[in-house]
Amino acid sequence: MSGSVRVVPPELHTAIASRLRAVGQRYTTNRRTLVDVLLGAGQPLGIPEILGAGERLAQSSVYRNLAVLEQAGAVHRIVTGDFARYELAEDLTDDHHHHLVCSVCGDVSDFTAPAALETSLTKVMAKVADETGFAPDRHRLDLLGTCTRCA
Amino acid sequence: MSGSVRVVPPELHTAIASRLRAVGQRYTTNRRTLVDVLLGAGQPLGIPEILGAGERLAQSSVYRNLAVLEQAGAVHRIVTGDFARYELAEDLTDDHHHHLVCSVCGDVSDFTAPAALETSLTKVMAKVADETGFAPDRHRLDLLGTCTRCA
DNA sequence: CTCAGTGCAAAGGATTTGCATGCCG
DNA sequence: CGGCATGCAAATCCTTTGCACTGAG
């Protein structure tokens, strides 16, 4: 839906392979397939959608491989409603963004926030770290509401 | 932990009763008990914690009533890790805040963001609504990282 | 040959639901 | 009285795990 620019796949695969190696994991065919499916979607996908992508993947392997990919920092797991959704880690796609979560159908789509807001957020993270001792890695900003279809 | 000021319980209960009525639900004893437990916690609670609050509540009723309360907009459901946590809707407690989510232990605590940031967020919501057609109700900002205990 | 990855089926755990009972309106 | 809320137990649903098999190094 967003048609945004993304990193060229070759580079992407290399980057992922390297992250996997860093946690002692291989970049297998199934894992590459998963990455391709997620890349092609341009939107966070749930397991049913991934399985339905016509790629002959075993459900258990999908779960297992997504866990491995997440641990390697290659994908992010988004839990919002009844089940989890997955998307490529944004630092891999050079596409930092946030989520529009529909409270009605549970659908999740992406949107990009103004740079100024991101800057403020970064400052807030530093401030919080300083004041509370909590060590923030990243932030997550979601807008909850009603999507066009469910309006 | 935050010791922040909250709305006086009497008012709170009235407000909740009214929201429940708006969706055709009653404010029963169990529901009131749930609200009290959440109010007393000052932090999002999971079902085990709610059940352990020494209030003799049936697990199924807790789930059912939290669902009702959420539908009435009296509590918010926070899904982050393996299970959900609940807290009073912030517009009831006049205590708009955000979450510090520990990636290690899953614990969730609250923090308040600078007013300037909230203002920016509100503007962004308006902008998104205008540009995408998505109708945002509220925003959710979480900082993910490592809490003091897990550091 | 060895060890990690895969698939299938069964297990697990949080959450939901069916049904009989109790209580409020 | 009548209908909704409650509790208990059984059922569901997403997710994880056990185990035997396959494939890459």
Side-chain angles (χ1 to χ4, degrees):
Chain A
M1 287 298 111
S2 61
S4 50
V5 183
R6 294 181 180 276
V7 160
V8 206
E11 275 187 63
L12 177 75
H13 288 303
T14 307
I16 293 181
S18 131
R19 292 192 187 190
L20 283 170
R21 221 173 298 117
V23 291
Q25 295 284 356
R26 303 179 192 161
Y27 198 20
T28 65
T29 310
N30 273 356
R31 292 173 188 172
R32 179 181 292 258
T33 302
L34 275 175
V35 169
D36 286 333
V37 169
L38 291 178
L39 183 64
Q43 185 188 44
L45 297 181
I47 270 69
E49 298 164 309
I50 294 176
L51 291 174
E55 290 290 351
R56 168 178 296 301
L57 293 169
Q59 190 196 47
S60 61
S61 298
V62 168
Y63 274 109
R64 252 186 298 231
N65 286 323
L66 285 173
V68 170
L69 287 167
E70 193 196 13
Q71 198 200 322
V75 307
H76 284 160
R77 182 178 198 227
I78 307 168
V79 265
T80 303
D82 295 334
F83 56 91
R85 288 157 197 273
Y86 299 82
E87 68 180 355
L88 292 179
E90 49 188 19
D91 59 341
L92 281 173
T93 52
D94 268 328
D95 176 43
H96 177 64
H97 62 264
H98 299 287
H99 301 298
L100 299 178
V101 181
C102 178
S103 329
V104 181
C105 67
D107 198 59
V108 179
S109 56
D110 298 344
F111 83 93
T112 305
L117 180 64
E118 297 298 343
T119 308
S120 314
L121 286 174
T122 306
K123 284 184 192 153
V124 169
M125 284 174 62
K127 185 154 173 281
V128 166
D130 189 47
E131 294 178 358
T132 68
F134 182 91
D137 292 332
R138 61 200 185 90
H139 64 260
R140 180 169 68 184
L141 170 65
D142 304 325
L143 300 192
L144 312 183
T146 311
C147 73
T148 326
R149 278 183 308 168
C150 296
Chain B
M1 286 297 110
S2 61
S4 48
V5 183
R6 296 180 178 273
V7 159
V8 207
E11 275 188 63
L12 178 74
H13 289 304
T14 307
I16 292 181
S18 132
R19 292 194 187 190
L20 282 170
R21 221 173 299 117
V23 292
Q25 295 283 357
R26 303 179 192 159
Y27 198 20
T28 65
T29 309
N30 274 355
R31 292 175 189 169
R32 178 181 293 257
T33 302
L34 275 175
V35 169
D36 285 333
V37 170
L38 292 178
L39 183 64
Q43 185 188 44
L45 297 181
I47 269 69
E49 298 164 308
I50 294 176
L51 291 175
E55 288 293 351
R56 170 179 292 303
L57 292 169
Q59 189 196 47
S60 62
S61 298
V62 169
Y63 275 111
R64 251 186 300 231
N65 286 325
L66 284 173
V68 169
L69 287 167
E70 192 195 15
Q71 199 199 321
V75 307
H76 285 158
R77 181 182 199 223
I78 307 168
V79 265
T80 304
D82 294 335
F83 58 91
R85 288 157 198 272
Y86 299 81
E87 68 179 355
L88 291 180
E90 49 188 18
D91 59 341
L92 281 174
T93 51
D94 267 328
D95 176 43
H96 178 64
H97 61 265
H98 299 289
H99 300 300
L100 300 178
V101 182
C102 177
S103 326
V104 180
C105 67
D107 197 59
V108 180
S109 55
D110 298 344
F111 83 93
T112 305
L117 179 64
E118 296 297 343
T119 308
S120 313
L121 286 173
T122 305
K123 285 184 192 153
V124 169
M125 285 175 61
K127 185 157 173 280
V128 166
D130 189 48
E131 293 177 359
T132 68
F134 182 91
D137 292 332
R138 59 196 187 93
H139 64 260
R140 181 170 65 184
L141 170 64
D142 303 327
L143 299 193
L144 313 183
T146 312
C147 73
T148 326
R149 278 184 308 168
C150 297

